[in-house]
Amino acid sequence: MHVRIRRLDADLPLPAAQHPDDAGYDLYAAVDAHLDSAGGRALVPTGIAIAVPSGCAGFVLPRSGLALNHGVTCLNTPGLIDPLYRGEVKVLLVNTDSTHAYDINRGDRIAQLVLLDVEMIEWVVVDDLGSTERNTFGFGSTGS
């Protein structure tokens, strides 16, 4: 798949997979940012703008190492990039560590981008959806 990208910061790497067949492409911080402990957050620019192809959606997801080792994750996960958006990709980070602040440095890998095919939906209003084995049982209905 070819994806058009505009470099807003020529000194940063393009989004990159770290291993062959990785689905996520690392996004890099374009600025330094400080995340206070216990919920500190920052909207961190990545220095890129992309044109997500029609029929696809871009999803910004956390990096597992940041979450495990530092409690830093994406607040609105997954962040959604629609095909018509042409602005800079930014990542809303939050620090869940209750005692330690965390500093983001320019050039740090802060999140990952995944592009997925999506179906366009046409809603069909009906009076009955039909029943299933699960039917209307919701949260917690299959046990703990």
Side-chain angles (χ1 to χ4, degrees):
M1 170 188 312
H2 291 100
V3 177
R4 294 179 296 147
I5 187 166
R6 188 165 66 104
R7 281 189 132 139
L8 305 174
D9 186 329
D11 295 329
L12 290 174
L14 291 176
Q18 296 301 305
H19 305 283
D21 290 333
D22 278 358
Y25 289 75
D26 287 335
L27 297 172
Y28 299 87
V31 299
D32 294 341
H34 177 78
L35 303 174
D36 288 327
S37 61
R41 55 191 177 268
L43 185 60
V44 182
T46 63
I48 61 165
I50 61 173
V52 174
S54 181
C56 292
F59 295 95
V60 177
L61 302 166
R63 291 193 62 244
S64 57
L66 276 179
L68 175 64
N69 298 323
H70 305 288
V72 173
T73 189
C74 298
L75 190 58
N76 63 324
T77 301
L80 174 63
I81 305 170
D82 288 309
L84 296 181
Y85 178 69
R86 292 296 187 271
E88 183 169 13
V89 175
K90 297 180 182 179
V91 180
L92 182 54
L93 294 174
V94 63
N95 183 1
T96 65
D97 190 294
S98 61
T99 57
H100 296 94
Y102 187 79
D103 288 315
I104 302 292
N105 297 304
R106 176 180 157 76
D108 284 354
R109 295 179 295 150
I110 56 170
Q112 52 189 331
L113 174 67
V114 175
L115 292 180
L116 296 173
D117 290 332
V118 293
E119 294 290 330
M120 295 296 110
I121 295 172
E122 181 179 333
W123 299 105
V124 178
V125 177
V126 297
D127 292 327
D128 183 14
L129 297 176
S131 61
T132 67
E133 183 178 311
R134 184 170 180 185
N135 209 14
T136 59
F137 299 107
F139 292 105
S141 66
T142 60
S144 32

